[in-house]
Amino acid sequence: VTGTITWRAPTEGVHRIVAEVRDSDTPQNTRTVSWWLRVTTHGFKFLDPSAQEGGDGSREHPWNSISDWYDPASIANCDPPVTGCQTGKTDARYLNYFLYWRAGVYTLPTASLERRDLAAGNPGRLSVVSTTKPVVWLAYPDERPVLDHGYVDGSGNTDAARGSFVYFERSENVYVDGLEFRNMKCKGIEVAATGHNQVFRKLEMHFMGHAEDGLNCAFIMTGRSDVQGTDHMVIQDSSFHGLYAATGGAMIKIYSKNKLLIENNTVHTVTGPGRGNVEGIALKGGPMT
């Protein structure tokens, strides 16, 4: 049984929520949980790719690019030793904000990417550190924002120097809901081996233009830890499709997790010479409980 808890828009303030689950076969078996919810209009920032430049992130004057919240200082170069993007990713002025994404297409900001070994198939990455950056990303209600990683263009051509991925580094309390990700190279979202409580819901992730065995290529993957795994990860109600495999890969690849829920997802359509070596959902090494 699955379900979603909903309620009418409450007034600002602190509200106590109580939920009870009752076993329909054995009604005397119940579980009750309660928590406090603070309702406020503060702590939210908005993005709209059609908005004019110079917005302040408010609903009335939204930002129009990822750079506005990730790298407001406009770092110019992040080639090794990545001193520029180190400055960008440690800027904490929007820590703990929730990001609301309006419909439209967003691209990863090239100037802020940490370069990887492109010759080996590894793309660059946008490092989102949970101690400095917003890690709650929500699609605006009834809209579908698209994050284009840029490896595949509209004509199907690929660019080896693009296709970077989102890396949730020190990934505490990550929550991504309702976004579409497309045109990746090898990886879409990677979650570091450290951090608890990551939720990915109602995502559509498609068109990975290059997957290669041994590079941990996947639409969603976690880093590996040989010690106690981290707790609580959910991948739910999402679609993963359109992977071109050179020698192998996976749609979802998870290392070292306690209390992992993968539920109600669809996984389909693999092409390429390595398609026979592609795993759908790969539960890999390290503690997995």
Side-chain angles (χ1 to χ4, degrees):
V1 177
T2 63
T4 302
I5 298 174
T6 62
W7 54 84
R8 294 179 180 177
T11 57
E12 287 198 66
V14 179
H15 302 260
R16 185 168 183 256
I17 310 297
V18 179
E20 181 182 87
V21 178
R22 184 180 302 273
D23 187 333
S24 59
D25 294 329
T26 312
Q28 65 269 28
N29 289 343
T30 63
R31 292 291 185 271
T32 301
V33 63
S34 65
W35 66 93
W36 294 95
L37 177 72
R38 182 170 65 90
V39 178
T40 177
T41 58
H42 301 289
F44 299 92
K45 290 291 185 180
F46 296 81
L47 292 91
D48 185 341
S50 65
Q52 294 182 345
E53 293 187 11
D56 58 8
S58 64
R59 193 158 89 171
E60 296 77 16
H61 302 286
W63 293 322
N64 69 359
S65 73
I66 295 173
S67 295
D68 289 324
W69 61 264
Y70 186 88
D71 203 359
S74 298
I75 301 301
N77 191 339
C78 277
D79 284 330
V82 298
T83 53
C85 50
Q86 291 288 346
T87 300
K89 77 178 186 180
T90 56
D91 187 309
R93 71 188 73 187
Y94 301 121
L95 176 64
N96 295 329
Y97 276 85
F98 287 20
L99 297 180
Y100 261 118
W101 302 66
R102 302 298 304 262
V105 178
Y106 302 84
T107 56
L108 294 176
T110 304
S112 302
L113 297 177
E114 294 183 331
R115 303 297 184 189
R116 311 296 286 172
D117 184 3
L118 297 174
N122 284 310
R125 68 186 188 187
L126 184 75
S127 184
V128 182
V129 185
S130 61
T131 54
T132 59
K133 298 297 182 187
V135 292
V136 178
W137 300 5
L138 307 172
Y140 197 83
D142 301 318
E143 295 186 10
R144 175 67 93 178
V146 178
L147 204 158
D148 194 319
H149 295 241
Y151 180 63
V152 184
D153 66 19
S155 300
N157 301 308
T158 60
D159 182 349
R162 301 182 65 192
S164 300
F165 63 96
V166 177
Y167 177 51
F168 286 104
E169 184 175 354
R170 294 198 293 277
S171 50
E172 201 77 27
N173 301 321
V174 172
Y175 194 102
V176 182
D177 192 323
L179 278 70
E180 178 180 340
F181 297 80
R182 71 186 187 194
N183 298 334
M184 292 151 265
K185 180 185 181 183
C186 186
K187 297 179 184 178
I189 295 173
E190 181 178 348
V191 181
T194 56
H196 306 277
N197 308 323
Q198 302 108 15
V199 176
F200 300 96
R201 295 182 69 239
K202 299 181 180 179
L203 307 184
E204 182 180 3
M205 304 187 74
H206 60 109
F207 297 125
M208 182 176 293
H210 176 92
E212 186 174 337
D213 200 29
L215 294 181
N216 283 323
C217 296
F219 288 110
I220 295 179
M221 74 154 293
T222 65
R224 175 171 179 165
S225 173
D226 291 322
V227 296
Q228 186 70 26
T230 58
D231 297 325
H232 305 134
M233 184 177 193
V234 174
I235 303 174
Q236 184 183 57
D237 299 333
S238 297
S239 176
F240 307 91
H241 60 95
L243 183 150
Y244 177 88
T247 59
M251 294 287 201
I252 300 171
K253 182 174 291 189
I254 307 296
Y255 290 89
S256 310
K257 277 293 174 185
N258 300 317
K259 299 180 179 178
L260 167 69
L261 174 65
I262 301 176
E263 179 181 58
N264 290 348
N265 304 285
T266 60
V267 176
H268 64 89
T269 310
V270 179
T271 61
R275 63 187 181 276
N277 192 34
V278 169
E279 299 168 291
I281 300 174
L283 303 182
K284 304 293 285 189
M288 184 76 69
T289 59

